[in-house]
């Protein structure tokens, strides 16, 4: 059951969203905490409790609002209404930041956070793009808070800038009929279904993600496609070749005409490996010392030669089967 209990900063109940969540989840335990960043009874639990801890919901007030310059699909990464996630992708980079405490935290001061973005946009000479989903999955979060729909409707009243967010979830119905002003870019992240099943527990299936992407594009949103992360399992060439066949069959004409493609190879780390080994003892291991560089307690990535032959293979497949679509970058 999600959530099974809630840890909350008492100050969060001074906000309208905090009150609404208190009513919505009135039948489960609410445990007061001093800070969402330091919940000792969770921090000290063993790594094997990682899946169980994903059932908890943390509610607080975001205090730091620093925009981080970025140079890929956005100009700034902006801390927004949540961090962490209920899903458990084995490579999730949030685990590098939050360790086993990568559970979903909601921040109730959404008015303050959105105002900061809109004020920044109004002050700027350029139409900047703000990445609001780099710390969580906002489509998932929207199923609990309605924050993404609220954000889009309010942001669309401004004439400045764009919002963008990636997702691995298909729950876009609440976003389809609302006003977005063409100022919102949703990027759907896809992987072969077999990779989703093995390494992305708790996320939406491939077919559902493609349907959601087509629907958002039909609803007039700008859209993008992330093929990420590329995981070089033994059968990876077959899997990604089939994925690109599926995309070729299923993406609507409109998506194919406008969605740029981002391709990201998996990186992995000592921390993720340690948590996964204890939390998912039956799962396939993602760390392979023959294929990856980086040792010790740091980060690992695929060897340069494998990565560049992988990139060449994917570029060929896309050129052949998704002709006309633009690859924005491969990392
Ligand atoms: Fe992490 Fe995204 Fe997977 Fe959630 S859906 S666990 S945020 S990679």
């Amino acid at each position: 059951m999600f959530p099974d209990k809630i840890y909350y900063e008492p100050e969060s109940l001074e906000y309208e969203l905090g009150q609404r969540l208190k009513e919505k989840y009135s039948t489960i335990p609410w445990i007061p905490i001093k800070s969402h960043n330091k919940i000792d009874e969770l921090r000290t639990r063993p790594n094997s409790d990682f899946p169980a801890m994903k059932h908890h919901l943390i509610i607080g007030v975001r205090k730091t609002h620093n925009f981080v310059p970025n140079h890929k699909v956005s100009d700034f990464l902006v801390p927004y209404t949540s961090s962490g996630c209920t899903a458990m992708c084995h490579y999730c980079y949030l685990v590098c930041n939050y360790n086993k405490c990568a559970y979903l935290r909601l921040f109730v001061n959404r008015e303050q956070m959105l105002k900061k973005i809109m004020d920044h946009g109004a002050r700027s000479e350029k139409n900047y793009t703000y990445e609001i989903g780099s710390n969580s999955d906002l489509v998932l979060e929207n199923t609990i808070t309605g924050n993404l729909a609220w954000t889009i409707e309010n942001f669309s009243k401004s004439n400045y800038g764009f919002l963008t967010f990636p997702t691995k979830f298909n729950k876009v119905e609440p976003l389809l009929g609302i006003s977005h002003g063409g100022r919102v870019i949703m990027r759907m992240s896809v992987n072969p279904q077999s990779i989703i099943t093995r390494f992305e527990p708790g996320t939406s299936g491939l077919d559902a993600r493609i349907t959601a992407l087509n629907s958002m594009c039909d609803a007039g949103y700008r859209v993008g496609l992330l093929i990420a992360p590329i995981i070089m399992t033994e059968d990876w060439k077959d899997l990604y070749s089939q994925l690109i066949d599926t995309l070729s069959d299923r993406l609507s004409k409109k998506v194919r005409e406008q969605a740029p493609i981002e391709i990201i190879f998996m990186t992995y780390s000592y921390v993720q490996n340690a948590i996964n080994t204890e939390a998912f003892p039956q799962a396939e291991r993602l760390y392979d010392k023959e294929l990856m560089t980086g040792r010790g307690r740091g980060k690992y990535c695929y060897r340069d030669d494998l990565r560049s032959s992988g990139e060449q293979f994917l570029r060929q497949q896309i050129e052949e089967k998704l002709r006309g679509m633009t690859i924005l970058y491969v990392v």
Side-chain angles (χ1 to χ4, degrees), residues 122-161:
R123 276 199 317 271
S124 305
E125 285 173 10
K126 198 185 145 195
N127 257 327
Y128 284 126
T129 300
Y130 303 93
E131 164 68 86
I132 55 174
S134 62
N135 264 325
S136 64
D137 194 303
L138 297 181
V139 172
L140 163 81
E141 192 228 291
N142 190 59
T143 62
I144 298 164
T145 59
N147 274 345
L148 186 55
W150 175 89
T151 299
I152 290 171
E153 286 201 296
N154 283 287
F155 186 79
S156 75
K157 294 175 192 156
S158 128
N159 293 319
Y160 309 102

Side-chain angles (χ1 to χ4, degrees), residues 236-237 240-241 244 263 308-323 327 330:
W236 78 273
K237 276 194 174 175
Y240 285 90
S241 164
I244 293 166
I263 299 178
S308 45
S309 66
E311 173 174 345
Q312 202 184 0
F313 174 79
L314 291 164
R315 283 187 182 277
Q316 271 167 1
Q317 290 281 315
I318 289 169
E319 170 67 24
E320 214 177 283
K321 301 171 185 172
L322 294 172
R323 186 169 284 275
I327 299 174
V330 182

Side-chain angles (χ1 to χ4, degrees), residues 20-39:
R20 202 150 39 80
L21 291 166
K22 181 88 175 122
E23 278 162 35
K24 180 171 178 180
Y25 297 118
S26 62
T27 58
I28 56 172
W30 281 64
I31 301 153
I33 48 172
K34 280 209 178 96
S35 162
H36 64 85
N37 275 325
K38 196 174 171 301
I39 309 175

Side-chain angles (χ1 to χ4, degrees), residues 54 84-85 87-89 91-92 94 136-137 168-169 203:
K54 286 272 186 175
C85 180
M88 288 175 278
C89 302
Y91 52 76
C92 178
L94 296 174
S136 64
D137 194 303
K168 292 184 198 296
F169 286 85
T203 64

